[in-house]
Amino acid sequence: MSRRVVVLGGSGVLGSRVCQEFSAAGCSVLSVSRSGARAPWWSDDIDSTSIDLSDVDTRGLSQALAGADVVVNAAAVVWRTTEEAMRALHVEFVGRLVDVLAGRRSRLVQLGSSYEYGPAEFGVTTTEDDQRPPTSFYGLTKRQSTEVVRRAAREHRVDGVVLRVANVFGPGAGGDSLPGMVARWLAAGEEQLPLSPLTCWRDYVDVRDVVDAVLAAATAPAADVSGQVVNISGGAAMSVRELVHRLIALSGVPSRIVELASRTVLEPMPWQQLDISRARQLLGWRPVRNLDDSLADMLAAERQSVGRGATA
């Protein structure tokens, strides 16, 4: 796969891994992010540049995307931010992005979110055609960005596909997520885990499976995927309480869960399970990592991180 790939939000959890996998596949890769940071495990041939995507003008963006065969937009904000920042990055920036890509031969892979869906009844599997409105501002702005890409694709202005990604876990999946936060505490040997009430069921997907889906979306025929929204998830809901207990068991740390009042910035969603049949049909993709492997690898990555911090 000899292509020029630009990853927007390339320093993030998903973006950094997307950069590495495209590079491993033989692509020329440029990571674009506000910090311009490089992941320590990247190969030397991945380039990076610092651009504030929320504030970049069309000229600067056009220069960054010059010669790109594939553009992956993994840029997003959710934690410790404002509604204004979400609107700027998720909606206004994506509008500029499709304007810059209009008429180019670039494939745009937009990373959406399962929070673009509203709450479903217990036991219901959500398809990409579900119209329940999101209940968080994050979900609302991400859904608006999806519509920007879909509209531009329907008008044949861009060749774009949206991957609607579920809750991500696995190695390096980030301390802001519930599994990542718990794994970090367990890696540090914490014996008490202060958590919001563990009453929800969520659909989780390994970060490495998501990256596989991105690579598949980048190379799928335009006739199959342009203008499509595709769910990327494990395909099955799981009790978050069961997930935390499994992490504790795998860690070997005798930790106790202490449930506190909810403090999440996202509106509660008691149940979510996504239909992934479209991903199988259009991308030839399915998740291949099992739960215990994902959680064990997450714990191992967090232990390495804690160890590096102790010796720094």
Side-chain angles (χ1 to χ4, degrees), residues 246-258:
R246 192 65 198 141
L247 268 169
I248 293 172
L250 289 169
S251 74
V253 178
S255 295
R256 181 172 66 91
I257 297 170
V258 180

Side-chain angles (χ1 to χ4, degrees), residues 27-227:
C27 297
S28 168
V29 179
L30 172 66
S31 166
V32 178
S33 65
R34 178 182 295 181
S35 67
R38 294 179 54 83
W41 34 266
W42 275 356
S43 56
D44 293 338
D45 55 355
I46 297 176
D47 295 324
S48 64
T49 188
S50 173
I51 297 177
D52 184 351
L53 297 174
S54 297
D55 194 44
V56 65
D57 58 21
T58 54
R59 180 180 179 183
L61 185 58
S62 182
Q63 291 174 343
L65 301 181
D69 299 296
V70 177
V71 176
V72 179
N73 184 22
V77 289
V78 56
W79 309 109
R80 296 181 293 276
T81 189
T82 65
E83 292 185 356
E84 181 182 3
M86 290 185 195
R87 184 183 294 108
L89 187 59
H90 300 161
V91 185
E92 296 168 6
F93 166 69
V94 175
R96 292 195 299 277
L97 175 60
V98 299
D99 286 344
V100 167
L101 291 178
R104 299 193 186 190
R105 299 174 63 86
S106 305
R107 164 67 51 81
L108 171 60
V109 181
Q110 167 78 12
L111 298 192
S113 168
S114 63
Y115 281 96
E116 296 175 42
Y117 297 118
E121 295 179 3
F122 193 90
V124 170
T125 300
T126 299
T127 71
E128 291 89 348
D129 298 323
D130 188 277
Q131 296 301 311
R132 280 180 291 250
T135 55
S136 68
F137 194 79
Y138 169 77
L140 174 64
T141 54
K142 289 295 288 181
R143 186 151 188 152
Q144 288 172 342
S145 67
T146 289
E147 291 308 311
V148 169
V149 174
R150 292 188 69 194
R151 182 169 56 251
R154 288 195 300 266
E155 295 170 352
H156 304 290
R157 297 174 60 223
V158 301
D159 171 12
V161 57
V162 178
L163 304 185
R164 206 165 258 169
V165 180
N167 297 269
V168 175
F169 65 176
D176 285 330
S177 69
L178 172 66
M181 180 171 59
V182 171
R184 185 163 298 173
W185 287 340
L186 292 171
E190 298 290 343
E191 295 187 358
Q192 288 194 354
L193 307 178
L195 300 169
S196 299
L198 301 173
T199 58
C200 297
W201 291 67
R202 290 285 183 269
D203 196 335
Y204 287 96
V205 60
D206 191 289
V207 61
R208 295 163 293 190
D209 284 326
V210 178
V211 173
D212 290 345
V214 172
L215 268 67
T219 56
D224 291 341
V225 302
S226 188

Side-chain angles (χ1 to χ4, degrees), residues 10-35:
S11 64
V13 170
L14 283 173
S16 60
R17 283 154 182 78
V18 168
C19 287
Q20 180 61 36
E21 290 306 309
F22 271 114
S23 178
C27 297
S28 168
V29 179
L30 172 66
S31 166
V32 178
S33 65
R34 178 182 295 181
S35 67

Side-chain angles (χ1 to χ4, degrees), residues 3-15:
R3 299 186 178 188
R4 173 68 170 167
V5 179
V6 177
V7 181
L8 306 171
S11 64
V13 170
L14 283 173

